[in-house]
């Protein structure tokens, strides 16, 4: 069987950039994971937060390892790059701060073991992101575990997947469970599919696809019904390895005039973007933090989330599946095109898709954000085409998408590459006249009536310490923020063809380069403050428009 032991406790941290050979025990301080070195001073403005390489260290005795014949060490996220050493052996280098990666350590395990990790968020031109409006917190900020398996097991090294490729669809009114397993060693694979009540609806061979009659549909927020797929590797009756996925059977499609359809029914998507950070802890959110975030997003009445601008914690995608949100997932290929980082962008995309492939919530894979030919050069066009093909090769069931930015021309060649285009539209904030947002969308729709068009971002700053008796664009008041959103709501309501809209942003987030509104280092376009303590007026505006339950807001 597969045994997973979390090893987050009792690490040491050294805030020095020294080479591995020169490391001594000196100056390390005790910490527990998850950890970032940018939490406290990462949002003071001026873009001077620490971007460097620092060391983590952990001792582990053999008795602390889980049971197993083979061992793997798993990192759920180290920002942005890492080098891992196990008992003096360099296990590997990983570029990209937001996805899961693993190394096999079986042959290096001893009675007493030393793990060293060099985490690196320093500036370079080979890893995304390098330039963007958010803080790239450095450190081991997600869980680390040791996984013990038998000699024969599902392949854990396949881009950080659990060892299988699973996805559920509805085709011609039947449930199709797509299933591929990657086995190392010998053994026979068997599959059991159980409904939400625990009743077995399939038990047998891993045929691909497994076809099921009368499946209960996954129907977004209204009924996010999930099935459990239990995949076992066996030798006779002995279970060698076992993995589990939660899937939801659904179909969806996009229409250039009528927007999004879930299970054949029109399902207008209205929601928010989410960044994943909090004061002091940066990206190292706890389960409680994630739960609180999803409850707030439920409360505002959204039915879609753009998980910007990177791969979020697995746990949050779990919540989206369970709560029935429609998700746009993406990698941090953002703002700047770097030819040296082409391989990294592709690798991050592979990791995202392979790790999150089974999720009913995800309908689009975001290739890029605000990368335009005029700004990033011609190379980005050829690269977008490659990325688009890569995504289609990895997943033919979902759509590719880009978030283009507002001044970009609608006949921009980049817009012709992905299946869907959405705009980051800031008329009424960075540019005058909110109403131009509607005008721009209509012009696009008229010129390209067959293209599927959406709003990937729109928003305005609302800083709680700033007041103005006569709210106006650019004043950073929550009052103007609410007026802006009221206008945008009217624009959106009048346009059925918009497949999805995403407010920028659900929560204020750290963007150390910023220095505005009396609270430096922050982007205040959230509907809720960074510490989640205060809902702004715009939050209540959306709640009044989106949420089903009536409510009273006492000021
Ligand atoms: C954008 C970017 C986002 C920024 C936002 C803003 O278009 O995609 O990363 O935070 O604008 O607030 O300026």
């Amino acid at each position: 069987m597969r045994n997973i032991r979390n090893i987050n406790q009792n690490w040491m941290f050294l805030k020095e950039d020294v080479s591995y050979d020169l490391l001594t025990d000196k100056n390390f301080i005790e910490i527990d994971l998850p950890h970032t070195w940018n939490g406290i001073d990462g949002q003071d403005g001026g873009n001077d937060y620490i971007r460097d390489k620092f060391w983590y260290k952990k001792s582990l005795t053999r008795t602390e390892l889980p049971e197993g014949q083979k061992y793997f060490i798993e990192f759920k996220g180290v920002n942005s790059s890492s080098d891992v050493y196990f008992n003096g052996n360099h296990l590997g280098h990983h570029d990209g701060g937001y996805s899961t990666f693993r190394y096999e350590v079986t042959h290096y395990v001893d009675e007493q073991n030393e793990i060293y990790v060099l985490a690196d968020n320093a500036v370079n031109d080979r890893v995304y992101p390098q330039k963007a409006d958010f803080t790239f917190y450095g450190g081991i900020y997600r869980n680390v575990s040791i996984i013990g398996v038998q000699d024969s097991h599902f392949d854990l090294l396949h881009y950080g997947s659990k060892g299988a490729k699973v996805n559920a669809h509805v085709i011609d009114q039947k449930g199709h469970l797509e299933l591929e397993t990657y086995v190392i060693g010998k053994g026979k694979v068997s599959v059991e599919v159980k409904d939400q009540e625990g009743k077995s609806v399939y038990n047998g061979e891993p045929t691909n696809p497994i076809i099921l009659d009368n499946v209960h549909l996954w129907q977004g927020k209204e009924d996010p019904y999930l099935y459990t797929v239990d995949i076992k590797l066996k030798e006779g009756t002995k279970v060698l390895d076992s993995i589990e996925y939660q899937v939801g059977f659904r179909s969806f499609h996009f229409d250039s005039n009528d927007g999004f359809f879930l299970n054949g029914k029109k399902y207008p998507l209205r929601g928010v973007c989410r960044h994943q950070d909090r004061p002091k802890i940066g990206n190292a959110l706890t389960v409680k933090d994630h739960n609180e975030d999803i409850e707030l997003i439920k409360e505002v009445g959204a039915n879609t989330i753009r998980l910007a601008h990177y791969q979020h914690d697995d746990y949050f995608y779990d919540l989206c599946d369970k709560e029935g949100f429609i998700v746009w997932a993406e990698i941090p290929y953002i703002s700047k095109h770097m030819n040296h980082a082409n391989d990294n962008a592709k690798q991050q995309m592979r990791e995202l898709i392979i790790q999150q492939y089974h999720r009913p919530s995800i309908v689009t894979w975001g290739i890029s954000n605000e990368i335009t030919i005029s700004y990033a050069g011609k190379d980005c066009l050829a690269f977008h085409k490659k990325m688009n093909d890569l995504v289609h090769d990895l997943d033919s069931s979902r759509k590719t998408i880009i978030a283009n930015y507002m001044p970009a021309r609608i006949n921009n060649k980049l817009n012709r590459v992905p299946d869907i285009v959405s705009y980051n539209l800031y008329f009424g904030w960075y540019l005058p006249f909110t109403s131009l947002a509607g005008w721009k969308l209509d012009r696009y729709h008229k010129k390209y009536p067959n293209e599927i068009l959406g709003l990937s971002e729109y928003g305005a700053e609302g800083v709680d310490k700033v007041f103005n008796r006569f709210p106006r664009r650019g004043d950073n008041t929550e009052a103007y923020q609410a007026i802006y959103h009221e206008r945008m709501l009217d624009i959106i309501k009048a346009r059925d063809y918009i497949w999805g809209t995403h407010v920028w942003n659900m929560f204020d987030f750290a963007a150390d380069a910023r220095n505005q509104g009396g609270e430096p280092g922050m982007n205040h376009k959230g509907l809720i403050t960074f510490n989640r303590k205060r809902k702004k007026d715009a939050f209540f505006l959306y709640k009044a428009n989106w949420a089903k339950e009536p409510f009273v807001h006492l000021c």
Side-chain angles (χ1 to χ4, degrees):
M1 285 296 281
R2 185 174 293 201
N3 297 301
I4 304 178
R5 183 160 298 167
N6 178 294
I7 54 163
N8 281 351
Q9 305 302 308
N10 305 322
W11 283 71
M12 309 285 279
F13 173 62
L14 175 69
K15 207 171 175 184
E16 275 174 38
D17 176 7
V18 278
S19 73
Y20 180 72
D21 310 331
L22 297 177
L23 280 174
T24 63
D25 276 349
K26 272 204 246 143
N27 300 335
F28 272 94
I29 55 163
E30 282 177 30
I31 52 125
D32 286 331
L33 301 180
H35 177 262
T36 175
W37 59 78
N38 298 119
I40 311 243
D41 54 5
Q43 46 251 347
D44 58 356
N47 214 13
D48 60 351
Y49 69 106
I50 299 169
R51 295 191 60 184
D52 209 332
K53 302 174 184 180
F54 297 134
W55 286 97
Y56 291 87
K57 172 188 164 183
K58 161 124 189 109
S59 305
L60 197 68
T61 61
R62 188 186 282 274
T63 54
E64 290 173 281
L65 299 179
E67 233 176 79
Q69 292 173 329
K70 284 185 176 174
Y71 296 107
F72 295 82
I73 186 163
E74 174 187 84
F75 294 85
K76 286 284 192 182
V78 183
N79 215 3
S80 300
S81 300
S82 61
D83 281 277
V84 183
Y85 298 80
F86 196 96
N87 289 338
N89 301 286
H90 183 229
L91 299 179
H93 175 87
H94 183 264
D95 277 338
Y98 305 96
S99 41
T100 299
F101 57 96
R102 305 191 186 99
Y103 300 109
E104 184 170 356
V105 294
T106 316
H107 301 299
Y108 306 127
V109 168
D110 225 321
E111 293 311 310
Q112 185 61 45
N113 304 286
E114 300 289 342
I115 304 164
Y116 282 89
V117 180
L118 180 66
D120 171 1
N121 70 340
V123 178
N124 64 58
D125 66 351
R126 45 155 236 285
V127 189
Y128 286 109
Q130 288 300 327
K131 184 174 181 293
D133 182 33
F134 61 95
T135 301
F136 315 143
Y137 301 94
I140 309 184
Y141 71 99
R142 285 185 190 151
N143 293 343
V144 182
S145 305
I146 300 282
I147 306 178
V149 291
Q150 299 299 298
D151 277 337
S152 293
H153 56 91
F154 291 112
D155 185 3
L156 285 152
L157 298 179
H158 189 77
Y159 287 104
S161 84
K162 286 195 262 189
K165 198 175 167 201
V166 178
N167 204 357
H169 317 273
V170 173
I171 303 171
D172 295 334
Q173 292 173 3
K174 284 187 194 286
H176 280 233
L177 185 71
E178 191 189 326
L179 180 80
E180 254 178 68
T181 50
Y182 316 114
V183 175
I184 303 289
K186 51 184 192 203
K188 204 167 161 236
V189 178
S190 70
V191 185
E192 180 167 19
V193 184
K194 288 187 215 137
D195 69 14
Q196 212 161 267
E197 287 73 44
K199 199 176 119 226
S200 184
V201 293
Y202 181 89
N203 200 349
E205 298 277 314
T207 49
N208 186 16
I210 292 173
I211 299 186
L212 301 169
D213 288 326
N214 302 322
V215 283
H216 189 138
L217 299 179
W218 185 90
Q219 302 190 76
K221 275 170 60 175
E222 286 64 38
D223 185 10
Y225 194 92
L226 294 173
Y227 285 79
T228 303
V229 183
D230 181 1
I231 312 173
K232 289 198 163 51
L233 183 67
K234 287 187 186 165
E235 195 173 29
T237 53
K238 188 178 171 209
V239 177
L240 301 172
D241 197 2
S242 154
I243 47 180
E244 209 179 84
Y245 294 82
Q246 301 250 280
V247 300
F249 290 91
R250 84 292 186 246
S251 67
F252 62 87
H253 71 272
F254 297 80
D255 182 278
S256 61
N257 285 315
D258 284 318
F260 185 77
F261 286 73
L262 183 64
N263 300 319
K265 289 195 203 117
K266 193 169 161 70
Y267 196 82
L269 295 176
R270 302 294 174 248
V272 295
C273 299
R274 178 205 188 218
H275 256 296
Q276 190 183 269
D277 65 339
R278 294 230 179 185
K280 296 197 173 55
I281 56 172
N283 293 136
L285 267 60
T286 61
V287 161
K288 191 168 156 271
D289 297 330
H290 290 299
N291 288 342
E292 186 182 31
D293 280 9
I294 204 101
E295 286 306 320
L296 291 166
I297 298 174
K298 273 163 68 184
E299 186 187 335
V300 80
N303 63 4
T304 179
I305 315 179
R306 177 179 174 209
L307 292 177
H309 283 304
Y310 40 77
Q311 305 86 316
H312 285 222
D313 194 296
D314 279 349
Y315 182 71
F316 201 78
Y317 294 107
D318 283 349
L319 291 177
C320 291
D321 289 343
K322 280 190 196 136
E323 298 292 349
F325 284 99
I326 302 289
V327 167
W328 165 337
E330 69 190 42
I331 56 160
Y333 177 35
I334 174 167
S335 301
K336 181 177 179 186
H337 175 82
M338 304 179 292
N339 276 336
H340 290 302
N342 285 352
D343 285 346
N344 178 252
K346 286 199 244 163
Q347 174 209 316
Q348 291 203 45
M349 187 55 96
R350 273 196 199 96
E351 288 169 339
L352 172 65
I353 296 179
I354 291 170
Q355 290 169 23
Q356 312 303 345
Y357 189 68
H358 58 287
R359 303 210 174 267
S361 54
I362 299 177
V363 298
T364 50
W365 299 118
I367 294 179
S368 68
N369 182 74
E370 296 201 342
I371 293 192
T372 55
I373 303 170
S374 54
Y375 184 52
K378 284 219 172 66
D379 291 347
C380 78
L381 177 61
F383 185 64
H384 268 74
K385 289 181 183 158
K386 284 194 185 134
M387 281 292 270
N388 198 54
D389 291 347
L390 172 74
V391 176
H392 283 147
D393 283 352
L394 291 168
D395 185 355
S396 56
S397 74
R398 296 182 176 92
K399 298 292 177 195
T400 56
I401 189 162
I402 63 167
N404 212 336
Y405 82 129
M406 195 282 315
R409 295 154 69 99
I410 56 180
N411 57 1
N412 188 313
K413 286 191 185 141
L414 219 54
N415 287 354
R416 311 281 88 76
V417 178
D419 302 327
I420 303 172
V421 174
S422 282
Y423 264 85
N424 296 348
L425 272 192
Y426 286 100
F427 289 108
W429 182 248
Y430 291 119
L431 289 151
F433 313 122
T434 318
S435 57
L436 285 182
W439 171 81
K440 175 99 177 177
L441 290 163
D442 288 344
R443 260 189 62 212
Y444 194 117
H445 184 56
K446 207 166 161 212
K447 181 146 191 209
Y448 296 102
N450 298 324
E451 288 193 13
I452 299 149
L453 185 62
L455 263 178
S456 33
E457 288 179 25
Y458 64 99
E461 299 276 322
V463 184
D464 57 357
K465 294 190 181 110
V466 185
F467 299 96
N468 186 352
R469 274 185 70 200
F470 305 104
R472 59 175 168 74
R473 179 174 80 89
D475 68 4
N476 295 315
T477 61
E478 290 184 14
Y480 177 75
Q481 185 192 32
I483 293 169
Y484 162 87
H485 279 291
E486 201 166 7
R487 290 180 188 151
M488 285 302 294
L489 265 170
D490 285 344
I491 289 172
I492 291 164
K493 275 185 196 155
R495 287 165 178 82
D496 252 16
Y497 62 82
I498 305 178
W499 74 270
T501 63
H502 296 91
V503 172
W504 190 257
N505 194 286
M506 182 66 198
F507 307 108
D508 289 351
F509 58 92
D512 201 48
R514 283 184 177 260
N515 252 323
Q516 76 185 102
E519 271 185 72
M522 296 291 303
N523 185 310
H524 301 272
K525 293 194 187 71
L527 302 179
I528 296 185
T529 51
F530 193 32
N531 60 11
R532 279 46 170 182
K533 292 250 177 346
R534 232 175 54 75
K535 295 162 183 161
K536 305 183 192 176
D537 286 352
F539 174 93
F540 295 104
L541 170 75
Y542 280 104
K543 186 169 169 180
N545 276 275
W546 288 344
K548 288 222 169 73
E549 300 75 30
F551 73 99
V552 178
H553 171 38
L554 299 173
C555 300

